[in-house]
Amino acid sequence: MRLLKPRDELAQLDDTSTDIFIKGTAQYYAMRPHGDPWDKMSLYTFAASYSVTSTKPSSASENVKLQQCDKWIKKRHNYACVRGTRLTSGNGDDYFYGLLYLYCPWRNENDIVSDYASAQDAFIAKKNLFDYSLAQHVHFTTEIEQAIMQVRLLSNDLSSIADTLAPNVTHQQLQINHEFDTEELYLDPQWTSQNAHQAAAATAAQSTTNNADSTSENLTMLHDDSLAWNNLTRNTMTDNAFYQALSNMSHDQQQIFDTVKQHFVALQKHEVNPANPKPESLRLYVTGGAGCGKSFLIKIINEYLIRISNQPTSPVVLTAPTGVSAYNIGGSTAHSALSLPVDHTRKGKTQYLPLSAEKLSQLRRKFNNVHTVIIDEISMISNVRLEHIHIRLSEIKDTTADQHSYFGNLNIIAFGDFYQLKPVFGRFIFEDPPGQHEPLIHLWRSFFKPLFLTVNHRQNGDKEYTELLNRVRVGLPNNADITLLSNRVMTKSDIQQSPFSSALHIFPTRDQAAEYNKEQLERLHFQTNTQVHVLTAIDEMIDGPVNAKDIPAKDLISTNTSETAGLEKNLHLAQGCRVMLLRNILSEDGLVNGAQGTVEDFLFENSGSDELSESTSLNEQTITGVYVKFDNPKVGQTIQDHCKNNAILIRPITARFFAHYGTVFTRTAFPLQLSYASTVHKVQGLSLTKAVLDIGDKVFSSGQTYVALSRVTSIDGLALLDFKPKKISVFQSVIREMKRLTDSITQNSQTQETEDT
Ligand SMILES: Nc1ncnc2c1ncn2[C@@H]1O[C@H](COP(=O)(O)OP(=O)(O)OP(=O)(O)O)[C@@H](O)[C@H]1O
């Protein structure tokens, strides 16, 4: 917008004159003198540092005259604040034009883009001309670098990202430099395994895969509904960590990354020029054996999509079937992210429940910027669950009426390995759904394109063990494999005397894990004489048939924590015992479901009417808080005030759950559980340096032995309490599905070849 000159000035102009506008800063900037520093000065610097005056300055040093005009340039005493319309990458080419206009020196506005097809092309070509004397303005450098990064992320030249992120460091140096601050997790196996161990230990005995996942609309944690959205934040990696991760991708990971990237490049081209075709939504299934870097790739893709989106919230929803696997990728469980119903039928036949109006509008707001849903550990997601995900996303994105739209038109990228665990309830995703749920189209078989990862990263230092695991995965171990594994069996007492005594113990069943946790607590008690406290939950019936009130609560409520929102009725804890957090208390501070630590102390306060437990009283006092020192010192840093020796005070929470005879209860309890042991189902997805496994008679499902064995990074980190070779097995349906997927790739490439010729 430009202002016309006043009427009397216009009247004095020649009839043919075009000099009808009042000159503004931009016009004066175009008339600045030539030479140093003016040639390389941007409009932004000019406007911030200089003013234009009609009075000739008295000092000779300030005597800088504009060209073709009787005005002088005067240096300001203080910088001026430059204001203008703020554009984002969502504004397409205007965004790049705005950056060029403000920060890249020009003489004639028509020249800003003239030689290039678009402002973005001009931006790429001119990036070295940007007025870097502006580096003192923090927002400037950040903004330009973000734009450069964005352009490069969308281009095919990943190596050029190195110049942006670390201009003085060569590619090779970056690869070997392990001293970057916060995000070592992609490079340092030691770090990764320790942290994974912390998460793994989160999975103590009492809970099933549902324990921390009980935040559906039906089974809602009353105190914090926002918890499922811990992934909707930005800045998950530092620039250096991101670049390191990109440059560390193996060839197969790179190819899959490129497939995803090409989609967004095509989309961007379409947005800049609608004549370019709009790519179809992504429906990918990324698969490969345990440890081939599926979760690693998820983190990179997630970060990439966040970086190219330029939106205030993440455009990606990261989900997984269990709390720990979700924690492992920094996401939330599929059913908490989408408010899906919990499977009370325990047969994978739950009916789909539409959302309440309030919940729907809440989820619509949260999904506003979301374009991609990533699901890890898809082998544990049932066919019915996939159908519910499709319906829920359609509901959220309001595409239900469109018969040709699936998953709300969002991109769905599934990661997993069908040779690992199957859904706890229900059938594999590739099997036909039960009759009443049968969709018109088979969601899995019709849409999902397989992409294969083949390079093992978890056991990459132990080739022999990697090959053994490859054979166990497909159910074909040889005699040498059986002998090697049999030699890892140790007695319980030998384990207690060895470095394995502190390693996570992994059992097939919850009862076994619970038993081991109990044993360890008793051991601690006898060795250190620490008192074991019983923290009893408060249960309250909030809904149900009138006559249910006469039935004692203990007859209505299951003792299985998977049916009580993961919370135990009687939690046994002692100073010094190992625990895991069961809820996301403060996600951005690392206080998340799965974080592991040690009980440092208890907080005793005067008991009131809401006392947590009569059995915790100590001189009329009750335990109202548990101080936990988390293994990761970064956990809970922002709430230091509540710390005692760096331990974080954990308070009880209240959760709602369904009980027998149609009753609904709330349970107020500490969101903690003992974590010396875990079940195999809870550790799928994790990497551990050391573990003690029971893969004996209690193994009850195909894939369990493989998942357990593939957690450790080498055979040296493996101790077995029991091993039964006959328990190494594979579902025939998985073999058939893998064949179908592999054949589909071959067929596609044959069709492609025919089309090319
Ligand atoms: N390209 C890579 N460079 C370095 N480390 C990697 C790479 N890819 C994966 N890793 C590391 O290898 C280990 C296993 O990777 P990850 O957990 O992603 O495998 P996964 O395929 O998801 O395994 P699972 O099937 O058991 O869930 C992790 O410690 C991860 O950080």
Side-chain angles (χ1 to χ4, degrees), residues 9-26:
E9 281 186 37
L10 288 174
Q12 287 171 22
L13 293 176
D14 230 40
D15 282 355
T16 53
S17 174
T18 52
D19 186 20
I20 56 171
F21 296 111
I22 291 181
K23 289 196 175 55
T25 311

Side-chain angles (χ1 to χ4, degrees), residues 419-422 472 506-510 512 679-681 683-684 693-711 727-729 731:
Y419 287 111
Q420 297 186 42
L421 297 173
K422 71 181 281 291
V472 171
I506 302 171
F507 296 94
T509 68
R510 284 185 287 121
Q512 286 175 291
T679 60
V680 179
H681 277 78
V683 295
Q684 176 158 321
L693 316 181
D694 179 332
I695 42 173
D697 287 325
K698 292 275 167 71
V699 166
F700 59 87
S701 172
S702 293
Q704 249 183 337
T705 302
Y706 173 58
V707 170
L709 285 172
S710 57
R711 293 313 98 199
K727 292 287 178 179
I728 299 174
S729 65
F731 289 108

Side-chain angles (χ1 to χ4, degrees), residues 433-698:
Q436 72 269 32
H437 289 287
E438 194 151 10
L440 295 174
I441 194 157
H442 195 290
L443 290 171
W444 178 256
R445 291 203 293 260
S446 311
F447 297 124
F448 284 82
K449 176 185 162 198
L451 298 170
F452 295 91
L453 287 171
T454 49
V455 181
N456 181 307
H457 294 272
R458 185 175 292 133
Q459 290 88 13
N460 65 358
D462 189 340
K463 192 161 169 277
E464 195 184 357
Y465 192 49
T466 306
E467 286 167 3
L468 176 151
L469 288 175
N470 288 341
R471 288 184 289 269
V472 171
R473 178 174 181 243
V474 294
L476 298 170
N478 60 29
N479 289 342
D481 297 335
I482 303 295
T483 310
L484 192 64
L485 290 175
S486 303
N487 288 342
R488 305 303 298 179
V489 178
M490 293 166 78
T491 64
K492 215 168 163 184
S493 63
D494 283 350
I495 287 172
Q496 287 303 338
Q497 311 299 319
S498 76
F500 283 103
S501 60
S502 61
L504 182 71
H505 283 50
I506 302 171
F507 296 94
T509 68
R510 284 185 287 121
D511 286 350
Q512 286 175 291
E515 184 60 32
Y516 184 77
N517 276 328
K518 194 165 152 234
E519 260 175 50
Q520 291 306 301
L521 191 66
E522 277 165 13
R523 210 179 139 84
L524 178 76
H525 170 64
F526 287 120
Q527 281 177 350
T528 60
N529 210 16
T530 350
Q531 187 186 348
V532 174
H533 297 281
V534 184
L535 284 70
T536 305
I538 298 168
D539 295 329
E540 195 186 338
M541 192 196 297
I542 55 166
D543 202 2
V546 182
N547 54 3
K549 295 219 161 42
D550 302 331
I551 306 173
K554 68 176 178 40
D555 294 337
L556 292 171
I557 300 174
S558 166
T559 52
N560 183 343
T561 52
S562 67
E563 293 173 35
T564 56
L567 303 173
E568 285 179 56
K569 178 67 181 170
N570 293 305
L571 178 66
H572 290 65
L573 295 181
Q575 238 176 348
C577 74
R578 300 287 295 155
V579 283
M580 177 190 80
L581 194 58
L582 293 175
R583 289 291 192 272
N584 299 327
I585 303 268
L586 199 57
S587 304
E588 59 280 16
D589 214 12
L591 281 169
V592 291
N593 170 25
Q596 200 199 355
T598 304
V599 170
E600 183 84 5
D601 208 348
F602 296 92
L603 176 70
F604 291 90
E605 284 174 330
N606 282 336
S607 52
S609 57
D610 60 345
E611 67 185 286
L612 196 65
S613 160
E614 65 281 6
S615 47
T616 58
S617 63
L618 174 80
N619 301 330
E620 303 285 309
Q621 290 197 317
T622 286
I623 293 177
T624 56
V626 181
Y627 287 99
V628 178
K629 193 165 188 168
F630 287 92
D631 297 349
N632 182 344
K634 287 185 182 160
V635 169
Q637 263 179 346
T638 65
I639 50 168
Q640 297 280 331
D641 292 353
H642 304 284
C643 290
K644 188 172 180 178
N645 288 339
N646 295 328
I648 310 295
L649 182 60
I650 303 297
R651 296 281 198 175
I653 59 147
T654 301
R656 187 157 56 115
F657 58 90
F658 288 98
H660 300 316
Y661 306 117
T663 54
V664 182
F665 276 82
T666 58
R667 171 164 287 182
T668 303
F670 289 96
L672 293 169
Q673 67 183 29
L674 288 169
S675 63
Y676 295 98
S678 174
T679 60
V680 179
H681 277 78
K682 289 295 219 150
V683 295
Q684 176 158 321
L686 301 182
S687 300
L688 307 167
T689 41
K690 236 177 7 180
V692 177
L693 316 181
D694 179 332
I695 42 173
D697 287 325
K698 292 275 167 71

Side-chain angles (χ1 to χ4, degrees), residues 84 107 131 300 366 666:
R107 288 276 168 193
D131 178 1
I300 297 180
K366 285 173 173 171
T666 58

